[in-house]
Amino acid sequence: VLHSRNLFLRAPLPEDEMPFVTWAQDSDACCALWMDPPRSSIAFRSYVQSCDREDAMTYVICDKQSNAIKGAIHLEKMFNGNFQNAFLGYHFNSETESEEIMRTALRLLTKHVFTKTKLHRLEVQVQPKFQRFINTLKSEHFRLEGVSPRLLKIAGRWRDCERYAITAEDWHLAN
């Protein structure tokens, strides 16, 4: 479990299924073009299974006061050896508070990665028009590395993504 003043990140539990699915369905109106969180029980179970591997870390983001699920953040395809890289994934909605939630969750996970694991680099793909998350990435010292045309299929369409990354050295310099 990773903690901040207002949030905590923990592994998803079977009892998170309905709260998570409800949260994901409620976020559809604002986020369907940006991301594709599990919006059904079957999709949630599949999501949890796909992240329950040695090369992945998955967290639900919870409010400390209410324990309500506010999103999810995960690492996948964690490589060791000479590569020491992971790909960051995320599911947030657009509540008024979500920018702070995104920033806090990203800060907690990045700190954990660069202080507790042996990873050297985190990479994240984000659609160019998802400016709120891009601003969050930049505020946490991720740098734009390029564009990947038609990389992700979201809402039935292939979407271009910008690739942002941070290395352990960049993180340590900033912190």
Side-chain angles (χ1 to χ4, degrees), residues 24-141:
Q25 290 171 347
D26 290 346
S27 69
D28 268 358
C30 60
C31 295
L33 295 178
W34 308 120
M35 59 193 80
D36 192 18
R39 293 181 179 92
S40 70
S41 293
I42 293 169
F44 177 79
R45 283 184 227 127
S46 176
Y47 171 70
V48 171
Q49 270 187 327
S50 72
C51 297
D52 187 22
R53 303 182 321 254
E54 284 188 29
D55 69 338
M57 297 168 101
T58 302
Y59 298 96
V60 290
I61 303 162
C62 300
D63 179 81
K64 263 194 178 170
Q65 279 193 300
S66 67
N67 288 329
I69 293 174
K70 298 293 188 174
I73 191 166
H74 59 271
L75 298 177
E76 53 191 341
K77 298 183 176 105
M78 295 169 56
F79 295 98
N80 289 309
N82 291 339
F83 196 34
Q84 297 179 358
N85 187 56
F87 295 92
L88 179 84
Y90 52 90
H91 300 294
F92 301 105
N93 69 16
S94 72
E95 296 174 5
T96 307
E97 63 198 357
S98 68
E99 216 163 314
E100 186 57 33
I101 290 169
M102 287 189 283
R103 182 172 286 108
T104 302
L106 185 62
R107 189 172 292 147
L108 284 170
L109 187 59
T110 306
K111 179 180 180 181
H112 177 72
V113 164
F114 292 132
T115 61
K116 302 293 184 198
T117 73
K118 297 300 179 200
L119 292 178
H120 177 256
R121 174 185 154 84
L122 289 179
E123 183 176 318
V124 61
Q125 307 287 340
V126 61
Q127 291 180 60
K129 292 182 182 175
F130 194 10
Q131 197 58 51
R132 289 174 56 214
F133 192 54
I134 290 171
N135 292 343
T136 299
L137 290 168
K138 288 179 178 178
S139 75
E140 294 303 311
H141 310 286

